[in-house]
Amino acid sequence: MTFEFKLPDIGEGVAEGEILKWMARVGDQIKEDQPLVEIMTDKVNVQIPAPRTGKVLQILAKEGDVAKVGQTIMVIDDGSGDGGAYPAPPSTLKPEHTAVATQPETQPVPSPQSVLATPATRRLARELGVDISQMKGSGPQGRITDEDVKRFASGSRSGPSTVTLQAALGPKPGAGPSEELVPLRGVRKTIAERMLKSLQTTAQVTHVDEADMTELVLLREAFKGSAEKRGVHLTFMPFIIKALVPALKEFPYVNSSLDERSGNIVLKKYYNVGIATDTEQGLVVPVVRDVDKKDIFELAGEIETLADRARKGQLTLDEVRGGTFTITNVGAIGGLFATPIVNAPEVAILGLHKIAKRPVVRDGKVEIRDTTFFSLSFDHRVVDGAYAARFTSRLIETVQDTRKLLSEVL
């Protein structure tokens, strides 16, 4: 009998996903739990396995389409009865063409819903009064691009007025260097939407303080040999994470979230630290869980593994959700300090920066010390400035005191 494979609820507030890649075609025999489709959510790319063994009868969402959670995206004959023909839902085809939907592409064109185009391209088509079902795409697999829509609109007699079209397309290109249009889509689009939403919905402030890292530099050097024997590369990050734990416990509102619907501040009694990671696709934030229960070597190995999976685009949804606090490290790139954007719904994010030798006054004398700046961005609705400053001071106190740090790292 036929089984409707619906886009599953993959949690963490994910309501929809873009179909990136089907790993089976109509007519293929599939086995339960084999990788079936790759979905891009607003958090991560995730592979969803086949829900059962059977034969693929229909694929109802093309690569590039955005499907809602609970929407049927594939029909499978599981062999338990008469699979029979499974007609496509009326919403995916024009009524007069339903009977010939499976015929070759010489048949009448499907409705706009079944045309391969991103949501942004569909929105542009609506703004320009263009019927994308009448178009032929120039993108991969026939996908309609923004440029296709603009070209079609420019040559359409029934298109919008010149003023409306010009407003949508922008000014005509003039003399000067050539321009390249890069569509805002995929991970880049997700980052744009999440960062904008974070700034629009939270009251963000950044507190900056200086930390003397001299003792930590020496401590890391002392532990590098032991780390190498364990097969891990020891950076400063595991030390900073361990120094965070007592500060987060002492200042629990930094390790919280605001539930606006219930009007409650949710204090987290667990410590899952997100590590902002730069990849070719954009910024992703894998989460290291229960950092208070792991030593620096365990943390170093896990951070290295997650960063590698992030750069290869292999992270699972479980590996990017459930964070309570985030760290972003731009120290290797350079700069003095920055003001990171809070990774909502978390309340705070810590920016780590370049460690450099600088003159420092100690006991009335100028010494050359290894110093850096910590930038703590926080949601002022939950955390006040004085509270944030005391939290940062507590973190720096642990980082600068070898004895306190040793009690945390092992």
Side-chain angles (χ1 to χ4, degrees):
M1 62 183 295
T2 56
F3 171 80
E4 295 186 10
F5 174 38
K6 303 178 186 296
L7 181 64
D9 183 355
I10 46 185
E12 200 74 5
V14 174
E16 62 183 20
E18 180 179 340
I19 308 295
L20 288 185
K21 181 181 180 182
W22 280 107
M23 299 165 190
R25 303 295 177 189
V26 173
D28 286 356
Q29 291 288 339
I30 58 175
K31 293 184 178 180
E32 185 175 357
D33 292 332
Q34 78 172 62
L36 185 60
V37 61
E38 185 175 359
I39 305 288
M40 181 179 69
T41 73
D42 63 351
K43 294 178 178 292
V44 72
N45 293 1
V46 59
Q47 287 187 0
I48 298 177
R52 60 184 60 193
T53 297
K55 179 180 180 180
V56 178
L57 293 182
Q58 278 195 314
I59 294 177
L60 303 177
K62 297 179 181 179
E63 293 177 354
D65 284 355
V66 175
K68 301 288 186 182
V69 168
Q71 177 181 334
T72 301
I73 57 177
M74 175 182 278
V75 179
I76 301 169
D77 179 3
D78 64 9
S80 61
D82 182 15
Y86 188 91
S91 60
T92 63
L93 298 170
K94 289 185 178 180
E96 63 269 30
H97 302 318
T98 301
V100 294
T102 59
Q103 298 301 315
E105 293 184 0
T106 55
Q107 300 297 322
V109 178
S111 70
Q113 285 76 15
S114 60
V115 171
L116 193 60
T118 65
T121 299
R122 295 178 188 278
R123 183 168 56 250
L124 177 62
R126 289 194 298 270
E127 292 172 354
L128 299 182
V130 169
D131 181 0
I132 60 173
S133 68
Q134 304 301 315
M135 298 176 57
K136 183 177 181 180
S138 63
Q141 299 177 328
R143 176 180 297 183
I144 294 173
T145 68
D146 289 355
E147 287 304 301
D148 294 332
V149 172
K150 292 175 183 178
R151 281 194 296 268
F152 190 90
S154 299
S156 174
R157 296 180 180 178
S158 59
S161 67
T162 303
V163 174
T164 303
L165 181 60
Q166 186 59 40
L169 298 181
K172 294 180 179 180
S178 61
E179 298 176 343
E180 178 183 1
L181 296 178
V182 179
L184 182 64
R185 60 167 63 107
V187 175
R188 183 75 264 156
K189 181 182 179 183
T190 297
I191 293 171
E193 292 172 346
R194 290 178 62 83
M195 294 298 98
L196 181 60
K197 182 179 180 181
S198 178
L199 287 173
Q200 290 176 333
T201 58
T202 60
Q204 300 200 24
V205 182
T206 302
H207 172 77
V208 181
D209 205 346
E210 187 175 20
D212 188 332
M213 304 286 279
T214 305
E215 300 301 324
L216 179 55
V217 169
L218 295 174
L219 191 62
R220 171 179 173 256
E221 194 64 32
F223 277 96
K224 282 176 66 175
S226 297
E228 290 174 0
K229 291 179 181 179
R230 297 169 185 245
V232 296
H233 175 59
L234 187 61
T235 66
F236 289 104
M237 183 69 76
F239 292 96
I240 301 298
I241 291 176
K242 296 302 292 185
L244 270 172
V245 173
L248 291 173
K249 290 181 176 179
E250 186 175 337
F251 298 90
Y253 284 86
V254 179
N255 196 60
S256 71
S257 62
L258 177 60
D259 186 340
E260 297 187 52
R261 286 183 294 182
S262 67
N264 293 319
I265 297 173
V266 184
L267 302 180
K268 311 292 178 66
K269 302 299 179 67
Y270 49 94
Y271 306 92
N272 298 340
V273 177
I275 309 296
T277 305
D278 182 32
T279 73
E280 289 184 1
Q281 293 75 34
L283 192 70
V284 295
V285 187
V287 176
V288 183
R289 299 179 182 279
D290 300 318
V291 298
D292 56 320
K293 301 175 183 177
K294 298 171 181 175
D295 62 34
I296 55 170
F297 304 114
E298 292 173 303
L299 291 175
E302 194 167 338
I303 291 169
E304 192 170 11
T305 297
L306 287 172
D308 183 62
R309 287 174 57 79
R311 296 186 182 100
K312 293 178 180 178
Q314 297 175 344
L315 290 173
T316 66
L317 190 63
D318 283 340
E319 291 171 329
V320 297
R321 64 182 176 184
T324 62
F325 185 90
T326 295
I327 296 177
T328 179
N329 181 16
V330 295
I333 301 174
L336 193 60
F337 64 85
T339 57
I341 297 176
V342 173
N343 186 23
E346 296 169 16
V347 165
I349 181 173
L350 179 69
L352 305 181
H353 304 94
K354 182 180 179 180
I355 298 175
K357 293 188 179 298
R358 299 182 177 94
V360 176
V361 177
R362 302 181 77 216
D363 300 324
K365 298 180 180 179
V366 176
E367 298 182 12
I368 302 300
R369 309 282 291 183
D370 290 301
T371 67
T372 191
F373 294 93
F374 288 162
S375 301
L376 181 75
S377 292
F378 56 94
D379 186 347
H380 212 319
R381 297 177 303 168
V382 178
V383 175
D384 289 331
Y387 192 92
R390 287 194 290 268
F391 166 81
T392 308
S393 295
R394 176 69 171 87
L395 169 62
I396 291 175
E397 178 185 317
T398 304
V399 168
Q400 294 182 160
D401 190 321
T402 305
R403 290 173 298 177
K404 289 183 177 179
L405 191 55
L406 276 174
S407 68
E408 294 295 334
V409 300
L410 299 176

